[in-house]
Amino acid sequence: MMASDFKIVEEAKKPLSMNPKKFGLWLFMVTVVMIFASLTSAYIVRQAEGNWVVFDLPVSLWITSGIILLSSITMHWAYLAAKKDELEKTKLGVVITSILGVAFLVGQVMAWGDLVENSVFFVGNPSGSFLYVLTGLHGLHLVSGIIFLLIVLISTFKYKVHSKNINQMQMCVTYWHFLGGLWIYLFVFLLLNH
């Protein structure tokens, strides 16, 4: 045999892989970003057309912004505890995050009440309509986040969340941080464009 008879064979490259559920979550989040990007773009376009009532944002939106930032901290704490198999801390962190999530939703409803008191309604001027749609749609996604938190909490009580089985917790943390970041984006957008 001669040296020319040998063929060099490259080793197969390992394909990039991601857990299918994580991939689905990322696709969902991209979809949500697209929805809110289109809504905020429509907001700017409609505002430029005129007939736009300017009003102050309710103080409760500042409070809910603080609540959602705090909930991101407690959620991350729960995640770090899960990675260390500190399941009691994990449970506590998820419970606190869930309570803060509900408190955020209550604060948003209170903000709607403040808007009504100031004669800013869903039907009427588009400025109010956009505010209700943006906050309501975000609230709906936050409800899904709270449901996800409760699923993770149940899994934690069944000892299914720990350092060797962390996918569900990672997905929940990712989604919760995403919801927090999305709210901060919306809040800053509304502050700059109300």
Side-chain angles (χ1 to χ4, degrees):
M1 247 194 218
M2 301 175 87
S4 61
D5 291 337
F6 291 104
K7 293 183 179 175
I8 297 175
V9 178
E10 290 184 28
E11 286 187 37
K13 293 181 182 176
K14 184 178 177 185
L16 294 176
S17 64
M18 178 184 262
N19 179 301
K21 290 179 181 177
K22 284 183 182 179
F23 184 70
L25 175 66
W26 279 99
L27 282 179
F28 175 71
M29 291 188 307
V30 167
T31 303
V32 172
V33 166
M34 297 299 287
I35 290 169
F36 280 97
S38 64
L39 284 171
T40 53
S41 295
Y43 182 106
I44 291 169
V45 169
R46 179 57 189 90
Q47 185 181 35
E49 291 178 7
N51 186 26
W52 192 264
V53 173
V54 176
F55 54 87
D56 290 329
L57 294 176
V59 173
S60 51
L61 293 183
W62 285 92
I63 296 167
T64 57
S65 297
I67 289 171
I68 202 140
L69 288 174
L70 182 59
S71 75
S72 245
I73 292 168
T74 59
M75 187 65 212
H76 202 73
W77 176 64
Y79 169 67
L80 294 176
K83 284 177 63 174
K84 296 176 187 174
D85 290 324
E86 296 172 343
L87 297 184
E88 292 307 310
K89 288 181 182 177
T90 303
K91 292 173 192 173
L92 180 61
V94 174
V95 166
I96 293 170
T97 304
S98 300
I99 291 168
L100 290 171
V102 170
F104 176 87
L105 291 173
V106 169
Q108 295 295 83
V109 170
M110 290 172 60
W112 284 1
D114 294 342
L115 289 169
V116 169
E117 284 180 18
N118 292 316
S119 300
V120 178
F121 303 103
F122 179 73
V123 177
N125 193 278
S127 60
S129 301
F130 269 105
L131 183 60
Y132 283 101
V133 168
L134 289 170
T135 57
L137 192 56
H138 180 267
L140 182 64
H141 286 92
L142 202 86
V143 168
S144 71
I146 292 170
I147 291 168
F148 198 176
L149 283 169
L150 295 176
I151 291 168
V152 167
L153 184 61
I154 291 167
S155 294
T156 305
F157 274 100
K158 292 180 177 180
Y159 301 103
K160 292 181 179 179
V161 172
H162 47 77
S163 62
K164 294 187 177 26
N165 188 18
I166 201 84
N167 274 343
Q168 187 181 46
M169 185 65 151
Q170 286 175 335
M171 289 172 56
C172 191
V173 151
T174 299
Y175 188 52
W176 196 259
H177 287 329
F178 167 73
L179 291 172
L182 179 62
W183 172 252
I184 297 305
Y185 161 73
L186 290 173
F187 183 60
V188 169
F189 174 83
L190 291 169
L191 280 175
L192 296 175
N193 294 290
H194 73 279

